[in-house]
Amino acid sequence: MTATVHYEDKIAVLTLGDNENRFSPDWIDRVNAQLDTIEQEAQGLITVGSGKFYSNGLDLEWLMANGDRGEWYVGRVQELFARILTFPLPTVAAVNGHAFGAGAMLAIAHDFRIMRADRGYYCFPEVDIDIPFTPGMAALIQAKLGPQAAVTAMTTGHRFSGQDALAAGLVDATATEVELVADAATKLTPILGKNPATLAAIKNTMYAAVTTALR
């Protein structure tokens, strides 16, 4: 299953898929198409995975088979990060399971993050798989984490449980699997209805250096 959307009142819940939700080019196309509609129809955005995974990030199998398109592919991934980072609606990542690499970056690009308390890891494994962060990826993570938390996350490959992630500032709260999306909606409800153009302008100013590095 690819990315799908349902609505809970004025909040769009974008389900990233029902597998590892890796960022294939087709998956990115589908997510962007859903975001186009959400921008017009919703007042808030929640993203969530299904089962064990929020997202395992880059589609390394596709990348290995299409090495000559690597720069194009990474550019498309980073453009998605920039889009979520500056999205004109309030956003929450409901991290239902494993969020690794680019999947963890997608989550951190949201305004807020709520992670399942009892299962799943939040991890930037780049140091262990010999894939250095691009300047844009590093800028994104460092814009959202305190300096020491960024050192731990980026240089050790540490797998953060829900409670670890909360203590490090990777997420804003934890919840049970059953309550995850409901708690994300509760987080958004008081801040719905902001002017999208104003909100987008504020985010673009806040993260100007990050989006420049990503794009």
Side-chain angles (χ1 to χ4, degrees):
M1 184 183 76
T2 188
T4 59
V5 176
H6 74 273
Y7 286 81
E8 297 192 3
D9 195 14
K10 299 173 182 177
I11 298 172
V13 181
L14 174 58
T15 301
L16 301 176
D18 61 359
N19 48 43
E20 293 188 19
N21 308 326
R22 289 186 179 269
F23 295 12
S24 71
D26 287 345
W27 181 91
I28 294 171
D29 287 342
R30 179 65 173 169
V31 168
N32 275 315
Q34 298 284 20
L35 292 175
D36 289 344
T37 302
I38 289 166
E39 281 193 31
Q40 301 303 316
E41 296 184 354
Q43 292 188 10
L45 169 66
I46 295 168
T47 64
V48 66
S50 178
K52 289 176 60 177
F53 298 98
Y54 176 79
S55 171
N56 257 354
L58 299 182
D59 189 338
L60 298 178
E61 184 176 329
W62 185 93
L63 197 54
M64 291 289 288
N66 297 273
D68 59 325
R69 301 179 71 193
E71 186 174 342
W72 170 86
Y73 173 72
V74 171
R76 293 211 61 209
V77 170
Q78 294 196 158
E79 180 58 40
L80 179 61
F81 296 158
R83 183 173 191 182
I84 294 295
L85 187 66
T86 59
F87 204 65
L89 307 176
T91 62
V92 179
V95 183
N96 59 288
H98 298 315
F100 272 65
M105 294 175 211
L106 180 67
I108 213 167
H110 291 65
D111 298 331
F112 306 102
R113 289 153 300 285
I114 300 176
M115 184 173 176
R116 182 172 169 180
D118 63 328
R119 187 175 180 183
Y121 292 108
Y122 203 118
C123 179
F124 301 97
E126 282 74 6
V127 70
D128 292 323
I129 59 176
D130 299 325
I131 300 178
F133 296 96
T134 67
M137 292 173 178
L140 172 62
I141 299 166
Q142 290 175 277
K144 293 299 187 87
L145 293 181
Q148 199 56 45
V151 168
T152 301
M154 296 174 71
T155 70
T156 72
H158 180 70
R159 297 186 176 199
F160 293 84
S161 67
Q163 290 304 313
D164 288 344
L166 182 61
L170 277 163
V171 301
D172 301 280
T174 59
T176 65
E177 181 183 21
V178 172
E179 295 172 334
L180 192 63
V181 171
D183 283 7
T186 298
K187 181 74 173 178
L188 284 180
T189 298
I191 55 174
L192 299 179
K194 309 295 186 189
N195 183 300
T198 303
L199 188 57
I202 289 170
K203 291 183 183 181
N204 273 286
T205 300
M206 287 176 68
Y207 301 118
V210 182
T211 56
T212 296
L214 286 168
R215 288 172 168 151

